[in-house]
Amino acid sequence: MTVMEQRGAYRPTPPPAWQPRTDPAPLLPDAEPYRVLGTGRADAADPELLRRLYAELVKGRRYNAQATALTKQGRLAVYPSSTGQEACEVAAALVLEEQDWLFPSYRDTLAVVARGVDPVETLTLLRGDWHTGYDPYEHRVAPLSTPLATQLPHAVGLAHAARLKGDDVVALAMVGDGGTSEGDFHEALNFAAVWRAPVVFFVQNNGFAISVPLAKQTAAPSLAHKAVGYGMPGRLVDGNDAAAVHEVLADAVRHARAGGGPTLVEAITYRVEAHTNADDATRYRGDAEVEIWKGHDPVALLEQELTRRGLLDDDRIAAVRQDAETMAADLRARMNQDPALDPMDLFAHVYAEPTSQLLEQREQLRAELAAEAEDEAGAGSGPGGTQR
Amino acid sequence: MTTVAAKPATMAQALTRALRDAMAADPSVHVMGEDVGTLGGVFRITDGLAEEFGEDRCTDTPLAEAGILGTAVGMAMYGLRPVVEMQFDAFAYPAFEQLVSHVAKMRNRTRGRMPLPLTIRIPYGGGIGGVEHHSDSSEAYYMATPGLHVVTPATVPDAYGLLRAAIASDDPVVLLEPKRLYWSKDSWNPERPSAVEPLGRAVVRRSGRSATLITYGLSVPVCMEAAEAARAEGWDLEVVDLRSLVPFDDETVCASVRRTGRAVVVHESGGFGGPGGEIAARVTERCFHHLEAPVLRVAGFDLPYPPPMLERHHLPGVDRILDAVGRLQWEAES
Ligand SMILES: Cc1ncc(C[n+]2csc(CCOP(=O)(O)OP(=O)(O)O)c2C)c(N)n1
């Protein structure tokens, strides 16, 4: 049977024969976001996994702080921080197997780094020395996507292609709550469901799209409910509960891998920082709200759980923090070096072979640069130099 | 191989044959779009492909152009060569964001690590009596998007050759199919299809000494007809069929204009901000000292595509082309 035939064949439906195409009940999300930490389920959670998540969360938070500091030093053009959302970021990377693919948005640098991509290469886009700094094929991470939700159909196509080739590949695609209003969100979910593509759509509902709260974005009961309209299961999870996010995403990945098709996961979380360093969040929200969310902090929640179960002592906490500091120091040191830029690169990758028009323009820039260099050399050599 | 003599074939047949040959030659070639499977496409260009290669290779997608192109991007990322059919010119617009932000840029933004070998076939242009939204000449939008190749055939052999070359290209190619010419016939030998030329080469369709008509796609046959009619006026017109708008074959175009000293650019797309402005500028910049007259443009009017009963007034026809040729300052010569 071909992949396409698995969708079920065309069958005529004379008027009285109408039935729902799928039973909606099993697709509905739970009434409450799924939680593990601080519930009876916590005891069953794998200690090794919890420790791993904890180490990554601490590192992730440190990464966000370091990257934000780099914007202040002028080393990054802009940084959209995921502080407060680290549980989502880390879990998204950890649930994937080596051969799987991650499709991140601009806010998901942590997930990209947790997947193994070099932290400095991850920041290329935000430093501005190129767009995508890493090789997408090395760790199977698509470029950080800035046009909202446009990465979602890519994930569907890639997962579909892998399935056509008989490869065991799942694609996990990340998007924000605002991004769910985009047409590409709808089209991607619809294609994925129709094709039964092995995709997990992971929405981080962090409360805001820049300044716009979710209430102005949707009238749906929840974003997870949207899944039902496409004929795929929707899951709702506490996005600050790393164990819960990991479990729900891992379930969805398993379901996709087994041929069950896509899942939409909505994680309820909160963007603690402004949209980016360039944004002023006081124009649209109060500190009190932020403080409430800080009381439901993903790092603290996991730390409490690990401490309660005796899986974390001061030495271990110190070691984890030391690791994070080492990572930050390395990031700082490397980001403080000026990137090597070659203006000729501008023309190198527009097409497989530059067109004759681009070759002409490249020569023009080369001549301009040569003249500039000559001017500088001349200006340096005293009165004979050209002054402008 | 038994050789079949050249016989009349339509452009539609040549396109179908190109898809079929490409699919047979390379299992990574996948055709996808609206109604391309069971029906064979509204213009029947994909006729028989689903039957021959299966629905996994020739797929009826959900009806959503951004989704079609967006998923094709993902498929290309994984090493397939998708060939996407947009049902009509004006119905390709929902896919514009994917085209501009991803298809055209992916190679560049990843420093060449993630090229996207995909072909986007778009039936375009008017003169078919189509109601609103079925007759746009949208090439200027695509031309203005660096990273895309934009090509359009005017003959049956070129339809085959350009489509094969587009599919073989490691860059994304927008293939604008002149739908009015789908059923035009030409003598063509499907067993020995024209050599697949590299994308980006124009061709002189008709040699002449008096002036050059620079044109492409739908307007090529109109210009050929105009050139014939011009003989009565004593003009011997050369016709250059661009075939490729991006990259642009400055060499062939300028060589012709330098020979003739006069040029008119002809296309259906609107003149203001249209391809003709770019072409006239390029020719003027490069051939100024060979020109006996300003480069003129004959284009569609600058209006939304007219209703079918009025479209003949909009489309550049033989008379309008000859009027332009007449304005090429011939008196200065005598
Ligand atoms: C297609 C598109 N429209 C607008 C923007 C500008 N923009 C960047 S981020 C953003 C808000 C996105 O909010 P959300 O999807 O909730 O993600 P978050 O930033 O909260 O992670 C907007 C409007 C964009 N990047 N892409």
Side-chain angles (χ1 to χ4, degrees), chain A residues 85 105-107 146-148 175-180 182 204 206 208-210 271 275, chain B residues 97:
Chain A
Q85 302 174 223
S105 82
Y106 52 87
R107 196 176 298 286
T146 312
L148 297 170
V175 67
D177 45 289
T180 65
E182 291 281 0
Q204 291 183 67
N206 65 7
F208 293 92
I210 307 185
R271 198 194 72 210
H275 173 65
Chain B
E97 184 186 22

Side-chain angles (χ1 to χ4, degrees), chain A residues 3 65 83 213 221 278:
Chain A
V3 166
T83 295

Side-chain angles (χ1 to χ4, degrees), chain A residues 209-228:
Chain A
I210 307 185
S211 66
V212 179
L214 191 66
K216 293 185 185 175
Q217 211 67 250
T218 182
S222 78
L223 296 173
H225 275 83
K226 295 192 173 199
V228 182

Side-chain angles (χ1 to χ4, degrees), chain A residues 73-94:
Chain A
Q73 294 148 18
R75 284 292 177 182
L76 283 182
V78 64
Y79 187 69
S81 172
S82 58
T83 295
Q85 302 174 223
E86 295 91 342
C88 295
E89 294 289 319
V90 163
L94 295 197

Side-chain angles (χ1 to χ4, degrees), chain B residues 299-322:
Chain B
F301 295 131
D302 296 315
L303 31 92
Y305 197 86
M309 294 173 86
L310 291 169
E311 69 179 331
R312 72 182 185 85
H313 302 296
H314 172 72
L315 297 172
V318 169
D319 289 346
R320 206 173 282 161
I321 294 169
L322 292 182

